[in-house]
């Protein structure tokens, strides 16, 4: 992809240091609401560990409190996790995630605007190992995931190494596809699709897997819609589409989650065949039109 490093998204939450290694239990988004605010304030006062970890950085935790209270957002000191002076070996990688996050959400903001809707940004948290979310404890074993109640995407950068080495899907656009897929789930959440699928699954439990597959394939198609927008702005290089298609093929949850024992289960784990995932990513990519992503009435 064509992109320039050096910028950090205001929606990026860098918790790599505060979540790594285990040991100290994390204060975090345990239940949302007031409890969370109190936990964050405590962390701020104590000035150690967890979400409010780096004292003096100013924006991060305080910004979050203000966000929760609905007040103005303090510009995020996103790198809350690392000593600013220490070299960060993953800096370029984090910059890339940040770039893709903003680019994907920019495309959706425009899509929503065109249909008279308002887009609300998701956040993206980088963590190591395990982290607390409104969906419970998230672990790297599950792969990247989206948690609807806190509208957050959660990624352990180790997944991208696995994507390349274990799943055989290397390349920056493969990573971009993964991020765009997760933001696709956020779009489904904003559009109420998420909720409809859940309600319908409750009414018709024997359709649960089928509905899950359709929801996942739609997220793939939405990722493709972004890919199209990236293509039209000449952000893609030769080989990028192939990287995306290879990634779509490789990230069936059956393969990602062979490592078991995950607490968070924000998505059901039926994602469709490799061929289906490629087909729907491609449909979004070729058309650039979210209306072509109606996986719920299509013959799969
Ligand atoms: Zn998914």
């Amino acid at each position: 992809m064509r992109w320039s490093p050096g910028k950090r998204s205001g929606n990026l939450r860098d918790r790599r240091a505060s979540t790594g290694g285990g040991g100290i239990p994390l204060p975090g988004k345990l239940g949302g609401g007031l409890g969370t605010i109190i936990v964050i304030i405590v962390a701020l006062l104590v000035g150690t560990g967890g979400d409010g970890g780096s004292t003096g950085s100013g924006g991060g935790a305080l910004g979050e409190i203000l966000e929760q209270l609905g007040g103005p957002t303090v510009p995020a000191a996103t790198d809350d996790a690392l000593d600013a002076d220490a070299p960060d070996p993953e800096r370029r990688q984090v910059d890339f995630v940040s770039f893709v996050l903003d680019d994907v959400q920019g495309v959706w903001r425009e899509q929503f605007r065109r249909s008279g809707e308002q887009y609300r940004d998701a956040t993206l948290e980088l963590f190591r190992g395990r982290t607390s979310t409104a969906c419970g404890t998230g672990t790297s074993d599950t792969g990247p995931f989206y948690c609807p109640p806190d509208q957050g995407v959660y990624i352990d950068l180790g997944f991208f190494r696995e994507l390349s080495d274990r799943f055989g899907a290397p390349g920056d656009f493969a990573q971009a596809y993964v991020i765009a897929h997760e933001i696709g789930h956020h779009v489904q959440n904003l559009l109420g699709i998420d909720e409809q699928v859940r309600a319908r699954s409750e009414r018709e439990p024997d359709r649960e897997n089928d509905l899950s597959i359709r929801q996942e394939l739609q997220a793939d198609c939405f990722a493709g819609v972004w890919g199209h927008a990236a293509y039209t702005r000449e952000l893609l290089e030769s080989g990028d589409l192939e990287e995306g298609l290879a990634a779509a093929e490789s990230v069936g949850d059956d393969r990602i989650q062979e490592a078991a024992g995950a607490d968070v289960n924000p998505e059901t784990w039926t994602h469709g065949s490799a061929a289906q995932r490629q087909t729907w990513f491609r449909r979004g990519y070729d058309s650039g039109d979210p209306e072509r992503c109606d996986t719920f009435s299509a013959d799969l």
Side-chain angles (χ1 to χ4, degrees):
M1 289 197 74
R2 293 200 179 86
W3 68 286
S4 320
K7 287 197 215 107
R8 290 291 162 93
S9 166
N11 294 310
L12 192 77
R13 307 284 179 261
D14 188 352
R15 306 259 156 81
R16 286 174 297 153
S18 51
T19 54
I24 305 162
L26 282 174
K29 298 186 173 110
L30 301 173
L34 199 57
T36 308
I37 294 167
I38 290 167
V39 166
I40 292 170
I41 290 171
V42 168
L44 265 182
L45 291 176
V46 176
T48 173
D51 291 324
S54 79
T55 49
S57 69
L62 182 60
E64 239 180 50
I65 293 168
L66 290 171
E67 269 169 34
Q68 300 224 14
L69 295 173
T73 306
V74 173
T78 50
D79 212 358
D80 74 354
L82 296 171
D83 181 347
D85 298 330
D88 175 7
E90 292 175 322
R91 190 168 75 179
R92 191 180 165 83
Q93 172 75 81
V94 175
D95 281 357
F96 181 70
V97 170
S98 176
F99 159 74
V100 174
L101 174 66
D102 278 352
D103 200 76
V104 173
Q105 299 211 94
V107 165
W108 283 109
R109 199 173 301 118
E110 176 59 19
Q111 290 280 357
F112 274 55
R113 193 191 61 75
R114 262 187 253 160
S115 45
E117 307 274 342
Q118 207 177 1
Y119 182 80
R120 277 199 315 279
D121 283 352
T123 58
L124 189 154
E125 178 182 314
L126 295 173
F127 71 99
R128 273 193 227 283
R130 53 199 293 129
T131 187
S132 51
T133 81
C135 301
T137 300
T139 74
S140 313
D141 299 340
T142 57
F145 63 90
Y146 173 73
C147 171
D150 61 27
Q151 304 196 8
V153 172
Y154 293 84
I155 297 179
D156 183 325
L157 290 178
F159 175 76
F160 290 141
R161 285 188 289 277
E162 272 186 65
L163 186 64
S164 168
D165 301 346
R166 209 170 115 209
F167 297 105
D172 58 1
F173 198 73
Q175 301 176 5
Y177 152 78
V178 169
I179 297 164
H181 172 96
E182 297 306 331
I183 295 297
H185 286 312
H186 177 61
V187 170
Q188 289 175 323
N189 186 19
L190 295 180
L191 295 176
I193 293 167
D194 216 50
E195 210 174 300
Q196 285 179 44
V197 168
R198 219 172 304 137
R200 189 139 171 208
S201 295
E202 268 167 37
R203 282 201 311 274
E204 303 172 67
D206 51 339
R207 281 205 61 201
E208 192 175 346
N209 283 3
D210 176 56
L211 287 166
S212 166
I213 288 170
R214 290 171 190 276
Q215 191 172 5
E216 291 299 331
L217 294 177
Q218 186 175 61
D220 283 336
C221 188
F222 284 169
V225 168
W226 167 74
H228 178 93
Y231 171 79
T232 56
R233 286 171 297 136
E234 302 186 344
L235 299 182
L236 300 199
E237 297 170 313
S238 94
D240 277 345
L241 174 61
E242 290 73 16
E243 287 173 7
L245 288 169
E249 182 181 19
S250 72
V251 291
D253 270 324
D254 44 343
R255 291 167 71 185
I256 295 171
Q257 290 156 13
E258 280 164 1
D263 290 319
V264 169
N265 204 343
E267 304 168 11
T268 40
W269 304 133
T270 320
H271 283 61
S273 69
Q276 284 173 324
R277 299 199 69 167
Q278 280 197 331
T279 298
W280 282 96
F281 174 76
R282 189 79 214 220
R283 194 163 297 187
Y285 182 87
D286 287 340
S287 67
D289 181 2
E291 298 203 356
R292 297 293 310 279
C293 297
D294 184 2
T295 52
F296 292 95
S297 50
D299 285 329
L300 296 182

